[in-house]
Amino acid sequence: MSDSYSEKDVQREVSELETKSTTAARLFDIRRIIGGLFVVYGVIVTIAGFTASDDDIDKAQGVNINLWTGLGMLLLGLFFLAWLKLRPTVPPGEGPGSDAG
C-alpha cells in the first residue's frame, strides 16, 4: 500500500486549507469582535440611560451619563463594523505583491 498522492490531490488539499484559513481569518477579525461588543454594551447602557431616575442624573451633576456613554459606545461599535465592511481583511497570499494565482 502506497501513500503517494498525485499532484492534483495535493493541490486540492492545499486549496481547501487556504479556503478554511481565509474563512477563519475573516470570522475572527478583531474589528468584528470589538465592534460587536461595543454595540451590545452600547445598547444595554443606552437603555439604562433612558430608564435613569432623577436621583441617578443628579448624582452625575445633571448629566445623563449612561445615555451619552451608551450612544458613544454604539457609535464606536458601528464605526468598527463599518470599517470591517468597507476594508475587509486580505487573506495571506491574495494581497498585492503575492505570487498566488
Side-chain angles (χ1 to χ4, degrees):
M1 269 213 190
S2 172
D3 284 340
S4 66
Y5 294 100
S6 69
E7 185 68 27
K8 184 179 178 182
D9 291 337
V10 171
Q11 288 297 330
R12 184 178 49 80
E13 287 290 326
V14 168
S15 176
E16 287 176 9
L17 289 174
E18 285 176 347
T19 302
K20 288 179 184 178
S21 175
T22 300
T23 303
R26 287 189 178 141
L27 181 63
F28 294 109
D29 189 351
I30 193 73
R31 295 174 293 179
R32 180 183 313 259
I33 296 167
I34 292 173
L37 285 175
F38 267 100
V39 167
V40 169
Y41 291 140
V43 168
I44 293 169
V45 175
T46 301
I47 290 171
F50 280 129
T51 61
S53 67
D54 290 335
D55 289 336
D56 292 335
I57 294 173
D58 288 340
K59 285 181 189 177
Q61 299 179 350
V63 177
N64 193 344
I65 196 71
N66 283 338
L67 179 64
W68 289 108
T69 303
L71 291 175
M73 291 173 77
L74 275 171
L75 287 174
L76 184 64
L78 292 174
F79 166 75
F80 271 95
L81 295 176
W83 180 22
L84 177 69
K85 183 73 173 172
L86 295 174
R87 303 280 285 184
T89 306
V90 178
E94 290 185 15
S98 67
D99 57 355

